[in-house]
Amino acid sequence: MHEDTQEITDLILEATALARKETSAEPEPDLTRAVRWPVECTVGPGLEGAIACESKVGYVNGTKGWLIYRGYDIFDLCAHSSYEETSYLLLKGKLPLPPQLSSLKHRFTEYRHLPDVKRLLMSFPVEKMNSMAALRLGTNLMRQKQTYRDQNASGPHLEDATSTDEDSIPMETQPRGERSAVYEFRGKRHQRPKGVERGLRGAEGLASCYHIIAGVSSIAGAVARLREGHLPIEPDPNLSHAGNLIYMMSGRKPTPVEERVMDIALILHADHGMNASTFAALVVASTLSDIYFSVGAGIAALNGPLHGGANEQVLYQLEEIGSPDNVDEWFDAARRQKRKIAGFGHRVYKAYDPRARILKPLAHYLARTNDRARHLLEIAEVLEKKVATSFGDERGIFPNVDYYSGIVYGALNIPPYMFTTVFAVSRTAGWTARLREYLRKNRIFRPRGVYTGTFDREYTPMEDR
Ligand code: SDX
């Protein structure tokens, strides 16, 4: 192992020892045993406290600040595993043997190649789009290309589209003289290829999970390049998933340290219980829609600044504060305005987020050779102290995963508008693992709302209103 990456592993082992000293890792009894449905639970606004389903994929102990994937502690996985191995673990429930890991890596390498999808992506104004909107568009283009699931799967294919002015195309209705070109489809109507499964079962298969986990990273790379006015880059089969993500986003091969840090970040973000984006993905999957729509729903939910979008907001927040000396004044103003401080607080963690326990030392490690990261980190640590003293431990408002991740990503030269996209690249493993698991005993999600409106109102015709 490269000596610098060994130093990073040592950092994680130190963070592990501290976490184990400061927290005790015992499961919460009422949330870690099989339940007999229907299950009693007290539900607050935002489904707080609601039990959506049972799962073996991962567990978050919010009071203790403890996170496990399939029984393995996140600290051990960051110290010793890889994102590829962790994806296998989340999907299959056990660590892979060498041939199983190499088969997964081979599939990821194969599925990262999406030249057709990237070409289609380039026909959209990606450089003007929210990066998560572009990522979600990419999953739809993957779906179009890979699943032939649509009812009109034998319909025209986007890649056959040729742009032309609308006057040359017979239209059902008189063209409205739109300035923009209208697409014409050449060639014969496509027939469903032989062997492509009809119906919905195919895309929950393991191959589809691998396909979308690998493909989303390539689309993220293409989005980053197109946003910067460059052409997408094809992945390098000799690089890892993490290494390829950096390479496809930046056009630069990562150093061993950068690759290792990105790999740890991908492991840390891969799964996190029944968070909003995972729940969104599951709700879509529970209607027997398919994996591409489900992951698209997860991407849409993760985009929000209360959720995955917070990592980007943290950076803007630190830049807004500008210097450690401004923290007090900024914080007092934020409290007066009842602003949520990005990167703090959590619905489940009422203790230090274990992922922040790893990301903070990583930020320190990278800040040793990066002035901007060092400056941001100085502000972040003063703000962390300010929040802790102002809210106090009893309020349970601690740094969450998003608080230090932005400083780490910035030190890897990832632009802020790609931070949440990187989060989505990682979380695709957790989303797909959980939707595969849920679909084994599927039941469509359909909670109830309480009606507090009125009754027995008489209809008044317009002229009498
Ligand atoms: C992620 O669920 C997951 O697992 C998510 C995630 C994952 O891996 O999938 O961990 C990733 O989304 C992390 C969270 C990233 N979001 C942020 O950093 C945004 C800032 N955080 C807050 O918006 C908030 O803490 C949430 C959204 C994360 C949690 O919201 P809750 O559980 O609905 O809590 P709340 O908003 O009801 O707050 C409870 C109290 C309130 O005070 P009162 O109105 O009761 O007096 O705590 C206060 C809040 O004002 N509070 C905060 C705060 N977080 C909570 N006050 C200021 N700043 C904050 N960040």
Side-chain angles (χ1 to χ4, degrees), residues 303-319:
N303 179 60
L306 292 186
H307 190 12
N311 55 17
E312 182 179 351
Q313 299 309 318
V314 167
L315 209 84
Y316 299 145
Q317 176 175 276
L318 295 175
E319 286 171 346

Side-chain angles (χ1 to χ4, degrees), residues 45-46 48 60 67 268-278 302 304-311 313-314 317 331 334-335 338-350 353 355 387 391 395-403 423 427 431:
E48 183 163 19
V60 179
L67 170 60
L268 283 172
H269 288 81
D271 182 65
H272 206 251
M274 197 46 63
N275 59 84
S277 54
T278 296
L302 191 69
L306 292 186
H307 190 12
N311 55 17
Q313 299 309 318
V314 167
Q317 176 175 276
F331 179 81
R335 294 299 293 144
K338 294 202 174 310
R339 276 172 69 175
K340 291 285 172 62
I341 321 282
F344 287 93
H346 201 278
R347 174 64 61 80
V348 176
Y349 285 127
K350 302 309 171 196
D353 188 326
R355 300 166 296 179
V387 170
F391 283 106
R395 289 290 303 279
I397 297 176
F398 294 90
N400 57 47
V401 65
D402 292 305
Y403 192 55
F423 193 151
R427 188 55 58 88
W431 291 332

